[in-house]
Amino acid sequence: MPARTPLDDERDHLAASRAALRAMRADAEALDISDVTANWVNAKVLASEIELRIKSLADLAGTPLFFGRLDYEESLDEDGESGRRFYIGRRHVHDADGDPMVIDWRAPVSQPFYRASKPDPQGVALRRRFGYEGGDLTAYEDEHLTDPAEAATSSALLQREIERPRVGPMRDIVATIQPEQDEIVRASLGGTVCVQGAPGTGKTAVGLHRVAYLLYTHRDRLARSGTLVIGPNRSFLRYIEQVLPALGEMEVKQATVDELVAHVEVRGVDDATAARVKGDARMAEILRRAVRGGVRMPSEPVMVVRGSRRWRVPAYELEEIIRELAGRDMRYGSAREALPQRIAHAVLVRMEQAGEAPDDRVQNAVARTPAVKAVVKECWPLVDPAKLVLRLLSDAAFLAEQAEGILTPEEQKEILWERPPRGVTSARWSAADAVLIDEARDLVERTGSLGHVVLDEAQDLSPMQYRAVGRRCSTGSATILGDIAQGTTPWATETWTAALTHLGKPDAVVEELTQGFRVPREVIAYASRLLPAIAPGLAEATSIRESAGSLDVLRVTPEELDEAVVTACGAALEREGSIGLIAADARVPALAKALGAAGMAHLSPGEETSREARLTLVPASLAKGLEYDFVVLDDPAAVVSGEPDERTGLRRLYVALTRAVSGLWIVHSAPLPGALATAASTA
């Protein structure tokens, strides 16, 4: 019989841990709550919590239950036992006696797995990483952190995990989190963190793992206040939607900025100039003026009849009350609700002076009298946010009045709607209009705040969109993720200082990630040729990838382009992993037709979770945040020319160039744009 090996022991521990997890789930399923709640409402809430608990205890097929082990330096405890050993995994698992078999990666005791090093071992004698094939434990790798005779080396298992082919949705990086990433993940809930991350540095994964960490550490608090992940589009959100459930977090909501402000149906599209003006932070002051602009001073006193007596509040006193409310930092709606009570209080003062003893019930009754209601209606009218914005955008005189000294006449003309055709009365709202309505709604009634918000691809937001997001975390904190070099909207932010000010978090800490884990060294170096033109202040990203990756550039004639791209996709499909064909939006229909003619099945972005195929045809406008093992990039010049200006086009190209994990094949007929034209790499 062959001798047992350490790998056999680790496999035994894995089997025992999986059995313990199944027992934990069985215990949860067997809970009887029929007699432990006071009413059916409590029973329903408790049943829902137990159901979530059962889901979180699922043993995911093909997902390692633990991925590392920490052995601490030998020391004797009170019982004379030596050494401590912890297995680090995606969730906590304990045996029948309650002793831990796997420690959650978010627990404080797990932190040294990510941060310990030979210069600073943090008491760890040995760090062991495990390698898996599917769900089977196949290898392990040891680092002896306190052994001076062993030189520090890079982890082959870590490298293999980073480079492992990916098909389908984004997966978690819990086994490969690096020290600089871990510092951001475990940052305090009380502060907002902004992560400037070059392509492939894992900023999206860091943001998602930060949510999981905060929910673990501040579960009760965030359960009350809520968390939200905001992404640039639904395709992106579908791509990342499996990460948090894989970490045991089932209830984190996801949305786009457009969905946050979806108070009206968006059917119109602004040109770049109009959208830029509507997204400017100056619009906030214009809306504030417009909301408050309807407040009027009374011209007559109010006369309140109570029984046989009449009580008079003069116009000048009403004006004092209204001016005092208008001068306070209150929402318009709250001030309107306070106005009848303030008038009623003035009446009660007169009653007391006359010897009466009115109470709160009398004040409330006075506030509801027709005379007081008439004053409120006249002096502080109701404001419908959508109707207010409609008037602002369609009434030139009203806009000029509210925007005086803020927008130039030319800017006012840019955002005014053209007169609709005869008989058309419905507004064709644009996405930027919806954000204005959201701002107006907040001026009338305060927007509810969440405990924590993660905002990804933040560099593409307008100042008014930042304000919309900031309202959702005004009393909480945020994790802001983005890359200035990947800003591809006409209103993209140029500095995080400005962006964070608009967000209402000017004191946020800005962290920069420049060490890449995803994009191959040769590919990121090639894409970085564009940085001086698109973001001269940013440092060039580096890559820890030991393999340089593959980069091929092939020029063909315009007549050969479609066929050459299809051939490249066919060659890419002979490799392992996912394939992304990225092209200018205008080129997508022609390429879809060419792929179909060649019998090559393909997906659209976001469909990777629902259909079986390895090739995705990606419009350049939707490529941001996505990643593929191998990328075929169609005609870079078309990507650049598809944008309103060259700088935005070069930024869009930079995004497309940096989606590859293993290799990039560029096929073009037009000359390469910008600094790429001097590249020496050819097919």
Side-chain angles (χ1 to χ4, degrees):
M1 184 174 180
R4 289 187 61 81
T5 66
L7 188 59
D8 293 327
D9 294 335
E10 301 295 11
R11 286 170 173 163
D12 287 348
H13 187 78
L14 176 62
S17 299
R18 290 194 182 282
L21 181 61
R22 289 193 296 271
M24 290 170 62
R25 182 175 176 124
D27 288 344
E29 292 172 333
L31 287 173
D32 182 3
I33 61 170
S34 57
D35 297 322
V36 299
T37 55
N39 52 57
W40 69 270
V41 175
N42 291 344
K44 191 169 184 179
V45 171
L46 183 57
S48 176
E49 291 180 353
I50 292 175
E51 183 179 352
L52 285 177
R53 169 70 172 168
I54 292 170
K55 287 182 180 178
S56 72
L57 290 171
D59 189 359
L60 302 177
T63 302
L65 187 56
F66 57 78
F67 47 81
R69 194 184 92 186
L70 293 177
D71 289 7
Y72 281 81
E73 293 180 286
E74 294 291 324
S75 60
L76 294 179
D77 59 22
E78 294 178 356
D79 297 325
E81 296 182 358
S82 62
R84 291 176 298 157
R85 174 176 295 174
F86 300 106
Y87 286 83
I88 312 301
R90 283 171 172 75
R91 60 153 302 106
H92 175 83
V93 180
H94 60 254
D95 62 17
D97 296 324
D99 294 326
M101 301 189 70
V102 180
I103 302 293
D104 194 300
W105 67 275
R106 298 167 287 186
V109 74
S110 301
Q111 183 171 309
F113 181 78
Y114 300 107
R115 300 201 193 177
S117 62
K118 289 191 77 70
D120 180 22
Q122 301 185 21
V124 177
L126 179 142
R127 173 167 52 203
R128 175 169 288 181
R129 299 182 188 275
F130 297 105
Y132 287 83
E133 293 293 338
D136 298 326
L137 199 163
T138 58
Y140 69 89
E141 180 183 77
D142 289 344
E143 295 175 82
H144 297 276
L145 300 182
T146 56
D147 184 356
E150 182 178 296
T153 58
S154 60
S155 168
L157 287 180
L158 179 64
Q159 186 80 14
R160 191 175 76 180
E161 175 63 22
I162 291 173
E163 297 180 357
R164 180 162 58 93
R166 58 209 64 214
V167 175
M170 181 180 179
R171 59 176 181 252
D172 67 76
I173 62 163
V174 65
T176 62
I177 294 174
Q178 298 300 292
E180 64 272 24
Q181 296 174 323
D182 190 63
E183 289 182 12
I184 297 171
V185 167
R186 297 177 192 265
S188 165
L189 173 63
T192 290
V193 178
C194 176
V195 182
Q196 159 60 42
T201 54
K203 55 185 176 294
T204 296
V206 165
L208 294 174
H209 287 68
R210 176 158 167 71
V211 172
Y213 171 78
L214 292 175
L215 285 168
Y216 175 87
T217 309
H218 306 280
R219 178 78 60 188
D220 292 341
R221 177 176 171 182
L222 290 179
R224 293 191 301 270
S225 57
T227 55
L228 176 68
V229 174
I230 303 174
N233 51 62
R234 268 289 142 192
S235 295
F236 177 83
L237 292 177
R238 283 193 294 270
Y239 175 65
I240 67 171
E241 67 184 356
Q242 298 302 319
V243 174
L244 288 168
L247 298 173
E249 302 301 338
M250 307 291 187
E251 293 295 292
V252 178
K253 292 182 171 56
Q254 297 181 340
T256 65
V257 174
D258 289 345
E259 290 167 347
L260 289 183
V261 300
H263 310 301
V264 292
E265 182 182 0
V266 173
R267 295 185 296 155
V269 179
D270 290 314
D271 61 34
T273 303
R276 188 183 293 111
V277 176
K278 290 179 180 179
D280 194 295
R282 293 175 295 168
M283 292 300 300
E285 175 59 22
I286 294 171
L287 288 166
R288 191 195 68 79
R289 288 183 183 180
V291 167
R292 296 276 176 163
V295 175
R296 298 287 181 267
M297 295 303 145
S299 57
E300 298 179 353
V302 63
M303 194 72 69
V304 176
V305 178
R306 288 284 299 173
S308 61
R309 304 201 61 172
R310 294 157 60 92
W311 306 96
R312 179 178 180 274
V313 180
Y316 77 86
E317 189 170 343
L318 294 175
E319 182 174 341
E320 289 177 357
I321 293 173
I322 292 171
R323 289 191 183 281
E324 193 272 334
L325 285 174
R328 295 180 62 184
D329 185 19
M330 298 177 65
R331 294 299 193 274
Y332 183 90
S334 299
R336 190 177 191 276
E337 291 176 359
L339 179 56
Q341 291 291 333
R342 299 293 291 274
I343 296 173
H345 178 73
V347 172
L348 260 66
V349 169
R350 286 163 172 74
M351 290 181 175
E352 291 170 348
Q353 291 172 344
E356 296 189 15
D359 55 19
D360 290 345
R361 290 174 298 176
V362 174
Q363 179 169 326
N364 290 334
V366 170
R368 293 193 297 269
T369 59
V372 173
K373 288 182 177 181
V375 172
V376 174
K377 183 178 180 180
E378 176 190 356
C379 298
W380 208 288
L382 281 170
V383 170
D384 182 302
K387 290 180 179 179
L388 180 79
V389 174
L390 175 62
R391 183 184 176 194
L392 201 62
L393 298 177
S394 59
D395 185 335
F398 183 61
L399 175 60
E401 178 185 357
Q402 307 305 323
E404 183 180 1
I406 299 177
L407 297 182
T408 66
E410 292 76 17
E411 288 174 320
Q412 294 175 35
K413 187 177 179 180
E414 287 289 347
I415 65 174
L416 273 171
W417 288 353
E418 296 181 0
R419 187 177 298 278
R422 185 180 299 275
V424 176
T425 57
S426 62
R428 293 184 63 83
W429 300 107
S430 69
D433 297 336
V435 178
L436 298 181
I437 294 172
D438 190 71
E439 179 84 23
R441 285 172 61 94
D442 186 69
L443 289 166
V444 174
E445 183 178 354
R446 185 182 298 276
T447 304
S449 175
L450 299 165
H452 193 78
V453 168
V454 174
L455 173 62
D456 207 350
E457 302 297 347
Q459 73 281 341
D460 278 336
L461 269 60
S462 70
M464 291 299 288
Q465 287 175 316
Y466 280 121
R467 290 176 61 88
V469 174
R471 288 191 281 277
R472 271 76 184 177
C473 56
S474 59
T475 59
S477 58
T479 300
I480 311 302
L481 312 167
D483 179 11
I484 297 295
Q486 296 186 59
T488 52
T489 56
W491 47 85
T493 189
E494 296 297 327
T495 69
W496 288 120
T497 299
L500 293 168
T501 299
H502 296 313
L503 191 74
K505 307 290 185 183
D507 298 327
V509 175
V510 180
E511 302 282 359
E512 187 170 5
L513 295 176
T514 59
Q515 188 175 55
F517 307 97
R518 174 175 55 77
V519 184
R521 187 180 307 138
E522 188 173 354
V523 173
I524 194 64
Y526 183 77
S528 294
R529 292 169 174 266
L530 299 176
L531 282 179
I534 62 176
L538 292 184
E540 182 176 332
T542 60
S543 178
I544 69 167
R545 302 281 293 276
E546 292 184 356
S547 59
S550 62
L551 171 65
D552 293 291
V553 182
L554 174 65
R555 184 166 187 177
V556 298
T557 66
E559 296 75 20
E560 298 170 327
L561 182 58
D562 289 359
E563 182 181 351
V565 169
V566 171
T567 300
C569 291
L573 285 168
E574 295 177 1
R575 306 181 181 216
E576 187 180 8
S578 58
I579 313 299
L581 168 55
I582 303 178
D585 291 32
R587 288 272 298 148
V588 168
L591 291 174
K593 184 177 179 180
L595 291 172
M600 206 170 288
H602 65 276
L603 309 174
S604 297
E607 292 182 344
E608 292 90 347
T609 62
S610 59
R611 290 175 53 192
E612 289 292 332
R614 292 197 294 123
L615 173 63
T616 304
L617 176 55
V618 186
S621 62
L622 296 181
K624 195 170 298 179
L626 307 181
E627 61 181 32
Y628 302 93
D629 287 289
F630 194 83
V631 167
V632 177
L633 177 58
D634 169 80
D635 221 10
V639 174
V640 176
S641 63
E643 299 298 327
D645 57 78
E646 184 182 26
R647 190 184 192 197
T648 303
L650 289 174
R651 286 184 167 185
R652 183 76 71 189
L653 177 57
Y654 180 74
V655 172
L657 289 167
T658 53
R659 301 304 95 200
V661 176
S662 298
L664 171 67
W665 195 342
I666 300 171
V667 184
H668 67 107
S669 59
L672 291 172
L676 299 186
T678 62
S681 178
T682 57

